């Protein structure tokens, strides 16, 4: 199957964001085959007319607790302790298998609807194997490209066996891959953190963990733990990282590690000022995560704008540009998610995860800088067409392949049962 996207204003992001102008994108076998002017449509190809649209890679969300879609805005005005108490202490234990399924399905469809084509689902609702299977099935059914961040929350003695079972259930080469979503040395006892890291190494899994978010002492202890066990390396993503000083960030940069920032939740929950600019200045691959919709919106436009404004207004900051921000939301996000060269760009050979944004709105019309418009002016209403691996999952502003009203009805039933 071939697809030709014609007449759009194309923005690529690798190696740096650039407006290519009025060029076409040819897709073959789920991958970008060619980008150039006046490309001919191969016989039998589907032609998508992108006139009046911006064409760019799909966004990459590197940290999202997708299962929480049914408890949106549950804790809008609390700090981090309030979030832990209400969401993880009270609501999470009530989740049934069907709640996990519909939460993950609705959350993943929310991503696609908003132009997020790649998602790292940091899933800490694994109360039983049935909960895990429900989360995985929902990701498969959604059509999103997903990294399943497995965080075991069931019987302690079952951790290793369950992790191996999940790894075996995710075949190579598909839209779904896996990471170790580790509690890590700042949250779990060292014995459990040791087991997480040993198992990740055995199974060849990258590690994504909440690190450097509980104060300077905890951050230093966590880094020392990782270094002692040979895990101060390129396979670790540090989520939030708000407690690290500039020297700590240089150590992480030297190790090849990455950082995922969630500027909305970090500010809303009082986790600390986002390290966006400091991490990038240190040379760390840095990307965005939505985190949770219990106290923040679930779209990348909101996150990009928040990160941009906070960094431009940070004392000693201000150097970040809209091009930096778009790169973090696309190609740099793919690097952080372990999908460099797979997602986040339109270079030939990359997976054809593509978003078409309409400019025929009062909020987007007459934009002089397309990249600036994506970061500062666009919103979810502009997301007109979305492709994942060359498959159209949203067309003319409407999600395909799913009965969205039925999903919303099931989500409402789940929310009523949980809350």
């Amino acid at each position: 199957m071939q697809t030709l996207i014609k007449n759009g204003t194309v923005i690529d992001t690798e190696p740096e964001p650039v407006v290519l102008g009025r060029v076409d994108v040819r897709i073959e076998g789920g991958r970008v085959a060619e980008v150039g002017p006046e490309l001919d449509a191969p016989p039998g190809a589907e032609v998508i007319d992108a006139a009046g649209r911006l064409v760019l890679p799909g966004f990459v969300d590197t940290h999202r607790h997708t299962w929480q879609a049914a408890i949106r805005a549950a804790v809008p005005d609390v700090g981090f302790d309030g979030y832990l108490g209400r969401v993880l202490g009270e609501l999470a234990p009530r989740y049934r298998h069907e709640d996990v399924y519909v939460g993950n399905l609705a959350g993943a469809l929310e991503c696609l609807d908003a132009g997020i084509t790649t998602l790292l689902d940091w899933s800490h609702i694994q109360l039983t194997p049935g909960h895990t299977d429900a989360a995985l099935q929902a990701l498969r059914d959604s059509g999103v490209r997903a990294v399943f961040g497995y965080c075991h929350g069931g019987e302690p003695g079952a951790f290793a066996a369950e992790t191996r079972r999940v790894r075996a259930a995710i075949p190579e080469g598909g839209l779904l891959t896996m990471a170790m979503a580790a509690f890590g040395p700042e949250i779990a006892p060292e014995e459990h953190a040791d087991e997480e890291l040993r198992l990740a190494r055995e199974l060849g899994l990258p590690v994504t963990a909440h690190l450097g978010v509980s104060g300077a002492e905890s951050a230093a202890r966590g880094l020392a733990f990782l270094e002692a066990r040979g895990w101060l390396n390129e396979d670790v993503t540090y989520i939030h990282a708000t407690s690290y000083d500039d020297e700590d960030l240089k150590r992480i940069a030297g190790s090849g590690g990455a950082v995922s920032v969630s500027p909305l939740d970090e500010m809303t929950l009082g986790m600390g000022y986002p390290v966006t600019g400091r991490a990038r200045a240190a040379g760390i691959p840095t990307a965005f995560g939505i985190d949770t919709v219990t106290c923040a919106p679930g779209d990348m436009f909101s996150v990009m704008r928040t990160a941009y404004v906070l960094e431009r207004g940070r004392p000693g900051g201000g150097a970040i540009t809209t091009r930096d921000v778009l790169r973090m939301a696309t190609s740099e996000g793919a690097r952080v998610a372990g999908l460099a060269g797979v997602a986040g760009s339109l270079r030939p050979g990359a997976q054809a995860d593509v978003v078409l944004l309409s400019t025929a709105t009062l909020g987007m019309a007459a934009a002089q800088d397309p990249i600036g418009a994506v970061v500062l002016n666009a919103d979810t209403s502009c997301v007109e067409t979305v492709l994942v691996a060359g498959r159209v999952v949203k067309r003319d502003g409407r999600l395909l392949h799913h009965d969205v009203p039925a999903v919303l009805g099931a989500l409402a039933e789940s929310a009523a049962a949980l809350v």
Side-chain angles (χ1 to χ4, degrees):
M1 174 64 182
Q2 296 196 54
T3 302
L4 186 64
I5 302 173
K6 291 189 67 68
N7 305 319
T9 298
V10 176
I11 301 170
D12 198 9
T13 57
E14 192 178 23
E16 297 292 337
V18 60
V19 180
L20 299 178
R22 184 70 62 82
V23 296
D24 304 332
V25 179
R26 184 170 64 84
I27 297 167
E28 183 174 359
R31 297 179 181 272
V32 177
E34 188 178 7
V35 178
E38 301 297 330
L39 299 180
D40 293 327
E46 177 186 6
V47 177
I48 298 175
D49 186 2
R53 282 85 172 169
L54 304 179
V55 180
L56 65 155
F59 300 122
V60 179
D61 179 353
T62 62
H63 179 66
R64 190 184 191 109
H65 304 303
T66 316
W67 59 272
Q68 295 176 1
I71 50 175
R72 187 183 308 274
V75 286
D77 300 309
V78 304
F80 190 49
D81 288 343
Y83 164 82
L84 293 176
R86 176 61 172 155
V87 174
L88 299 186
E90 296 177 13
L91 297 178
R94 301 176 188 172
Y95 266 71
R96 304 161 297 176
H97 301 169
E98 56 263 39
D99 300 315
V100 175
Y101 177 83
V102 73
N104 254 34
L105 179 60
L109 293 180
E110 178 185 4
C111 287
L112 292 175
D113 195 45
I116 296 170
T117 53
T118 298
L119 160 70
L120 194 149
D121 179 23
W122 212 100
S123 188
H124 53 349
I125 193 64
Q126 317 310 321
L127 307 179
T128 68
H131 288 78
T132 302
D133 293 342
L136 284 169
Q137 191 59 50
L139 293 176
R140 293 189 187 101
D141 291 348
S142 72
V144 78
R145 186 180 305 281
V147 180
F148 184 61
Y150 178 75
C151 182
H152 181 75
E155 293 296 325
F159 168 62
E162 261 301 285
T163 305
R164 292 190 183 98
R165 182 186 75 84
V166 174
R167 180 67 187 89
I170 301 176
E172 301 288 342
L175 290 179
L176 188 61
T177 55
M178 184 177 176
M180 177 71 76
F183 282 118
E186 294 187 45
I187 296 176
E190 286 195 354
E191 296 77 15
H192 183 74
D194 262 326
E195 188 176 13
E196 289 176 326
L197 296 179
R198 285 199 304 270
L199 199 54
R201 181 160 285 150
E202 173 193 325
L203 298 176
L205 300 176
V207 171
T208 172
H210 296 80
L211 291 164
V213 73
S214 303
E217 182 178 344
S218 176
R221 177 171 53 82
L223 280 181
F225 179 93
L226 293 175
E227 187 169 35
R229 287 151 180 84
W231 272 95
L232 201 61
N233 63 29
E234 68 278 3
D235 292 325
V236 178
T237 294
Y238 299 74
I239 301 165
H240 304 313
T242 51
S243 296
Y244 292 131
D245 62 24
D246 289 347
E247 290 304 311
D248 294 330
L249 294 175
K250 289 178 183 177
R251 289 179 67 197
I252 294 170
S255 74
V259 165
S260 174
V261 296
S262 302
L264 275 159
D265 277 11
E266 287 155 13
M267 294 299 287
T268 300
L269 295 176
M271 289 188 278
Y273 207 91
V275 299
T276 312
R278 292 199 300 121
R280 288 179 60 80
I284 301 174
T286 307
F288 296 128
I290 303 300
D291 200 359
T292 173
V293 297
T294 60
C295 56
D299 67 280
M300 190 60 71
F301 302 106
S302 297
V303 169
M304 287 193 293
R305 270 193 286 277
T306 300
Y308 178 81
V309 169
L310 289 175
E311 187 57 31
R312 297 285 287 192
R314 179 175 63 86
I320 201 167
T321 67
T322 53
R323 279 158 172 74
D324 295 329
V325 170
L326 183 62
R327 188 175 192 274
M328 293 172 65
T330 52
S331 59
E332 200 161 338
R335 154 69 178 86
V336 172
L339 296 172
V342 175
S345 83
L346 296 181
R347 71 172 182 83
Q351 290 282 311
D353 300 348
V354 186
V355 173
L356 277 62
L357 303 181
S358 173
T359 61
T361 68
L362 291 173
M364 285 286 282
Q368 303 302 299
D369 183 331
I371 292 175
V374 171
V375 174
L376 299 179
N377 303 109
D379 58 32
T380 57
S381 69
C382 301
V383 180
E384 187 174 86
T385 300
V386 179
L387 295 84
V388 177
R391 177 183 185 236
V392 178
V393 297
K394 184 178 184 180
R395 190 191 301 275
D396 298 329
R398 186 175 66 86
L399 285 174
L400 309 178
H401 316 305
H402 291 275
D403 184 344
V404 175
V407 173
L408 293 175
L411 191 68
E413 291 178 7
S414 175
L418 292 167
V419 181

